[in-house]
Amino acid sequence: MSVSCVQPKRIADQMYVSFDRARSCVRRLNGTHEIGCQSSTSGNSGRMYMIDNDQEFNSFITDTKLIDSYRSFIIALNVNLFTTSYVDKLMTSLGSKLNGLLLYLKSSSSRPDYFSQDDQSPNHRYSYYLNQTQVVNWNPQGNGLFFRSFPFPMMFIDEQEDYERLVKFYRQFNISQSTPTCGLELSTFQNAAHTSKTCIRRNGISHSLLDSSETMCDPVGGLNVYSKLPQSLTIAPKIRQPKSVILILAATDSFQMFLKEKGPTGGAQQPATALIIFLSLAHLIGQEQNEFNQQDKEIIFVTLDGDALDYSASFKFLFDMKNGDFPTGNRNEDPIRSEHIHSIIEFQSLSLTDKLSLYAYPSALANQTFIDTLKQNNPMIVSAMPDSPLPPASSQIFLRETSSSSFPVYILTSNHENELSNHYYHSFFDDPSTLAINISSLEYNSTTEFSQWVKLIVEPFAQTLIEYFVGSTKNVTIKQEIINNLVYCVLKNINCPLIHNVTNQTTGNAFDSFNETSLPFSINTYPTSPAVTSRFVQSILSYLLRDRMLDTMNLTEKACEQLSKNDSFRSYTYVGGYTPSIMSDAFFSGYCVRSYSRSVSSMSPAFTIDNYDLSQTTYPVWTESRWSTISLRLFIIPTRKHEIVTLVIGILLLSTSFVVCLILRYYTKISLLQPSSS
């Protein structure tokens, strides 16, 4: 036999069946406690018991004979039963015998009607209404399980092939108590524990003879990005006028209880829909920049990365503003402070609905002309009642940290009677199918119901901004192709032609490793997480808001580089160009993009202020634990009879080996003592 044909297997590989695509629940911490799940250092294991429906659930928790016959259980639970009620009943019935929980999804068509582990009132810990007794349950189906701490690991199988393998083994071995049964091992040990304060302190402690410190956790945060038309600069000695800045906000993060190293993160409705509208609007503002450049108003587009957990990114943005660090970069640019803000417009929690709600607060400052014009241009928009409670939105922190009588905020969202329209708020089930998109058939220039809906929103919005801030009436249109491309890039493949058209080769190549990957909307940790979402947004935003005058100039890459040497306020990039966005009749082999764009850390100010006590609640102090191994393995647990037989056979073999060794030793001595015949 040829040596190359030998394929040895480790014993461990033959003992276990691994599920490498499972999602896992991890540990996170804040200033007062920890949330999430984890296993012991060696993993948690136990007898697998599968529960598919309410009847099977009730049958199991009342079967004391079965429960008493095993030391520990790993419960495989239909994801439709993953609610506070069922989880609490399992923990009460099994006590310390509950060694882990494995959720499974039978098929994409069997997903629950509602699935959200966020609170019923998201981000209520730091809302604008913190000291008020009235609480609005914007997410009434939220069960809050994300914010609970569990003493056992949880994992989730969402691939149908993995579910079918799991069921196959379970049915094969779990026939009766007299036959071998299936066991599961969940390994999700987390380094961090207790609180963020404890964990950050432990980060600097040496844990080995090599005197090298081990990082236990990382602060939550990514990058805030902001961009504007590059012509609108206020450079000293020129002073920025009060009420001259309009901020347009969108979020770029979400969270879900169960993470997967490679796979969709959810966030199609929140925040992807708002982000696509946000970027489409940026294109129209860039397209009509001649109208806006004649005004003394600046429109700044801002994306916030970290607001899903207690608005950390907004706190950091306002902290920078208060300290004169907005905008960052050249100190000769007059800083923007709260008195310079004219108004804030935010796109938040948008869904594919026939009606959109516009919240304006405070009503005393809200401009009724702007509201009426917007509603006239877009009949889909309905005004909320004056001074209605605001939905979960970053604007709440802008109102809270400044004076709520300084400027109005306008929040466009999808809800019905103070309930968000998103049934999968902060869940990976919030996927493109909730937007009537078949992701498998979506192409780069596919026109979908959703992309047409975006067009119906963004064109009237841009038209209203021109009418209100410029004072002229003008019909503005965006090519459907541009929205189609954005939808494809954000929801299916960020390594799309668009990102390569608007970046240089070096930046574009960084997206190659994310081919066929949707834009990830998850909790980032600073500075360890790859900031691919922020890089993507900044690259697209910079190009859409570029100085269009340079589109008509056939500049070489060298000439573009020379321009950058004489301008410390704006950036210059030589790119291939995105044809649908170019208004010029002439097309060139390359374009010099002059843009104004900045990115800064969105990590909570609590981690940047010297000697800040992380147990305080002035700022959110979320951290995420580090881990080394995440694994889910299935194995076979033999029957009691089989274990006894194996033990007896082992003892007999051991005894026999001793006897044989004694006999061999005796005769060997005799043989060695015999004189040689020679």
Side-chain angles (χ1 to χ4, degrees):
M1 180 184 291
S2 171
V3 175
S4 62
C5 293
V6 178
Q7 296 181 347
K9 287 187 176 181
R10 298 186 307 163
I11 296 297
D13 293 335
Q14 300 180 58
M15 291 173 57
Y16 294 96
V17 176
S18 296
F19 294 82
D20 299 326
R21 297 180 295 181
R23 295 176 176 270
S24 61
C25 168
V26 300
R27 182 71 73 195
R28 296 185 177 94
L29 313 95
N30 64 12
T32 57
H33 61 286
E34 62 185 18
I35 64 172
C37 333
Q38 73 173 63
S39 70
S40 63
T41 52
S42 57
N44 285 28
S45 61
R47 192 257 169 129
M48 172 187 171
Y49 193 89
M50 205 163 193
I51 301 176
D52 196 58
N53 51 53
D54 184 71
Q55 182 180 352
E56 292 180 3
F57 183 90
N58 292 324
S59 175
F60 171 73
I61 63 175
T62 55
D63 192 344
T64 54
K65 182 180 178 181
L66 172 63
I67 293 175
D68 292 341
S69 61
Y70 291 92
R71 289 180 298 177
S72 61
F73 286 88
I74 303 291
I75 302 299
L77 188 70
N78 189 323
V79 70
N80 285 274
L81 302 181
F82 188 59
T83 65
T84 304
S85 174
Y86 285 108
V87 172
D88 286 344
K89 285 180 182 178
L90 279 175
M91 294 176 68
T92 302
S93 301
L94 295 178
S96 60
K97 287 191 174 186
L98 182 56
N99 223 18
L101 199 60
L102 174 64
L103 306 179
Y104 63 84
L105 176 67
K106 300 174 73 171
S107 67
S108 58
S109 60
S110 66
R111 65 167 61 188
D113 294 331
Y114 295 88
F115 193 79
S116 173
Q117 282 72 59
D118 201 346
D119 291 325
Q120 292 185 349
S121 181
N123 276 347
H124 62 87
R125 289 165 295 275
Y126 284 89
S127 79
Y128 177 65
Y129 307 97
L130 186 63
N131 298 320
Q132 299 185 20
T133 56
Q134 181 185 8
V135 177
V136 178
N137 291 331
W138 294 97
N139 185 34
Q141 301 298 327
N143 56 37
L145 289 174
F146 178 89
F147 292 99
R148 287 178 56 176
S149 179
F150 296 94
F152 49 80
M154 291 188 192
M155 299 187 77
F156 186 7
I157 287 178
D158 63 323
E159 301 282 350
Q160 188 167 351
E161 180 184 339
D162 289 341
Y163 164 72
E164 291 172 352
R165 279 202 303 155
L166 188 74
V167 173
K168 174 186 173 184
F169 281 106
Y170 185 74
R171 290 175 178 171
Q172 180 180 350
F173 292 100
N174 288 55
I175 301 173
S176 68
Q177 292 193 31
S178 60
T179 60
T181 58
C182 290
L184 288 171
E185 180 193 76
L186 281 65
S187 296
T188 63
F189 179 71
Q190 308 287 300
N191 294 345
H194 196 43
T195 65
S196 291
K197 182 177 181 178
T198 302
C199 184
I200 294 295
R201 186 183 71 246
R202 289 175 178 173
N203 278 350
I205 299 176
S206 173
H207 296 277
S208 70
L209 295 175
L210 298 177
D211 197 33
S212 60
S213 60
E214 181 181 1
T215 301
M216 301 294 178
C217 61
D218 300 289
V220 166
L223 293 173
N224 287 339
V225 173
Y226 48 92
S227 184
K228 63 178 180 178
L229 296 174
Q231 300 93 324
S232 56
L233 290 174
T234 306
I235 303 172
K238 186 178 179 182
I239 299 176
R240 184 174 276 103
Q241 297 300 309
K243 308 295 182 184
S244 62
V245 175
I246 299 99
L247 298 179
I248 300 181
L249 310 181
T252 56
D253 70 309
S254 177
F255 66 71
Q256 44 281 321
M257 189 168 180
F258 299 95
L259 305 181
K260 181 186 277 189
E261 183 178 355
K262 290 185 178 180
T265 58
Q269 295 179 79
Q270 167 58 23
T273 298
L275 182 61
I276 291 169
I277 292 174
F278 172 89
L279 293 173
S280 301
L281 181 62
H283 165 77
L284 283 175
I285 298 300
Q287 177 179 295
E288 306 298 331
Q289 60 186 250
N290 290 336
E291 301 284 346
F292 290 97
N293 286 334
Q294 300 171 11
Q295 307 303 311
D296 59 354
K297 297 282 193 295
E298 293 181 56
I299 297 180
I300 303 180
F301 287 79
V302 182
T303 60
L304 300 162
D305 184 7
D307 272 8
L309 280 178
D310 292 342
Y311 304 118
S312 295
S314 290
F315 275 108
K316 179 56 164 57
F317 185 91
L318 287 161
F319 179 81
D320 291 342
M321 181 184 290
K322 289 178 181 178
N323 287 278
D325 293 327
F326 172 62
T328 187
N330 197 309
R331 287 293 178 181
N332 289 323
E333 186 175 4
D334 193 36
I336 298 174
R337 303 188 186 277
S338 59
E339 59 266 24
H340 298 132
I341 298 178
H342 173 278
S343 55
I344 292 178
I345 298 170
E346 181 173 1
F347 300 106
Q348 181 68 235
S349 301
L350 290 164
S351 307
L352 184 60
T353 53
D354 296 332
K355 296 293 182 182
L356 301 175
S357 297
L358 180 67
Y359 288 79
Y361 190 92
S363 58
L365 294 179
N367 189 292
Q368 195 60 44
T369 302
F370 172 74
I371 296 172
D372 292 341
T373 304
L374 184 58
K375 290 165 59 179
Q376 182 180 349
N377 291 337
N378 189 349
M380 293 171 61
I381 296 177
V382 178
S383 292
M385 293 294 292
D387 291 330
S388 296
L390 297 177
S394 304
S395 296
Q396 289 200 27
I397 302 304
F398 283 77
L399 291 171
R400 175 182 161 177
E401 292 297 293
T402 60
S403 170
S404 60
S405 60
S406 297
F407 50 80
V409 300
Y410 304 94
I411 303 172
L412 190 67
T413 187
S414 297
N415 64 39
H416 176 67
E417 296 180 352
N418 285 351
E419 290 184 13
L420 297 176
S421 301
N422 187 355
H423 293 179
Y424 303 112
Y425 189 76
H426 287 162
S427 158
F428 77 93
F429 280 137
D430 184 10
D431 60 25
S433 68
T434 64
L435 302 173
I437 294 176
N438 182 352
I439 199 66
S440 60
S441 62
L442 184 68
E443 299 294 338
Y444 183 54
N445 195 23
S446 297
T447 299
T448 62
E449 178 188 354
F450 172 69
S451 61
Q452 292 175 321
W453 177 82
V454 171
K455 193 174 192 291
L456 292 175
I457 295 172
V458 73
E459 287 180 345
F461 215 102
Q463 183 176 330
T464 302
L465 291 177
I466 292 175
E467 290 181 27
Y468 179 60
F469 292 112
V470 177
S472 62
T473 303
K474 182 177 183 180
N475 289 326
V476 294
T477 59
I478 182 173
K479 294 178 182 176
Q480 185 66 59
E481 180 182 358
I482 295 175
I483 299 176
N484 295 347
N485 297 164
L486 285 171
V487 170
Y488 175 86
C489 296
V490 171
L491 296 180
K492 185 171 184 176
N493 184 14
I494 55 177
N495 187 40
C496 57
L498 172 59
I499 193 65
H500 291 278
N501 293 150
V502 303
T503 59
N504 57 31
Q505 186 173 357
T506 302
T507 304
N509 289 343
F511 291 92
D512 289 344
S513 58
F514 297 95
N515 194 42
E516 296 298 325
T517 302
S518 60
L519 200 62
F521 299 109
S522 57
I523 295 175
N524 293 313
T525 51
Y526 186 84
T528 56
S529 292
V532 60
T533 302
S534 299
R535 289 204 309 269
F536 177 89
V537 170
Q538 186 170 8
S539 299
I540 300 293
L541 203 54
S542 299
Y543 185 83
L544 297 178
L545 292 172
R546 71 194 183 279
D547 186 347
R548 301 294 178 104
M549 184 182 69
L550 271 66
D551 287 359
T552 62
M553 303 167 63
N554 189 11
L555 296 174
T556 63
E557 185 172 4
K558 187 175 181 180
C560 187
E561 183 181 348
Q562 189 62 37
L563 287 174
S564 67
K565 294 179 179 179
N566 302 318
D567 191 343
S568 59
F569 296 94
R570 296 165 292 198
S571 59
Y572 292 78
T573 310
Y574 194 76
V575 304
Y578 176 55
T579 304
S581 178
I582 297 173
M583 306 293 290
S584 172
D585 294 333
F587 294 97
F588 311 120
S589 58
Y591 295 84
C592 182
V593 175
R594 175 161 58 200
S595 60
Y596 181 101
S597 180
R598 305 283 189 272
S599 63
V600 294
S601 166
S602 62
M603 186 173 60
S604 171
F607 299 107
T608 60
I609 298 173
D610 292 338
N611 301 317
Y612 181 86
D613 184 358
L614 294 180
S615 62
Q616 294 181 6
T617 57
T618 306
Y619 296 110
V621 289
W622 285 102
T623 56
E624 184 176 86
S625 174
R626 289 196 181 186
W627 60 87
S628 55
T629 303
I630 300 288
S631 71
L632 168 63
R633 301 194 296 181
L634 180 146
F635 59 93
I636 304 303
I637 302 175
T639 62
R640 185 69 173 169
K641 179 180 178 181
H642 185 276
E643 289 178 331
I644 293 173
V645 171
T646 303
L647 177 63
V648 171
I649 293 174
I651 293 173
L652 290 175
L653 287 174
L654 181 63
S655 302
T656 303
S657 65
F658 271 116
V659 173
V660 171
C661 286
L662 288 172
I663 293 172
L664 289 175
R665 184 178 182 185
Y666 175 77
Y667 282 104
T668 301
K669 283 183 178 180
I670 294 176
S671 175
L672 291 173
L673 291 173
Q674 295 293 332
S676 175
S677 59
S678 60

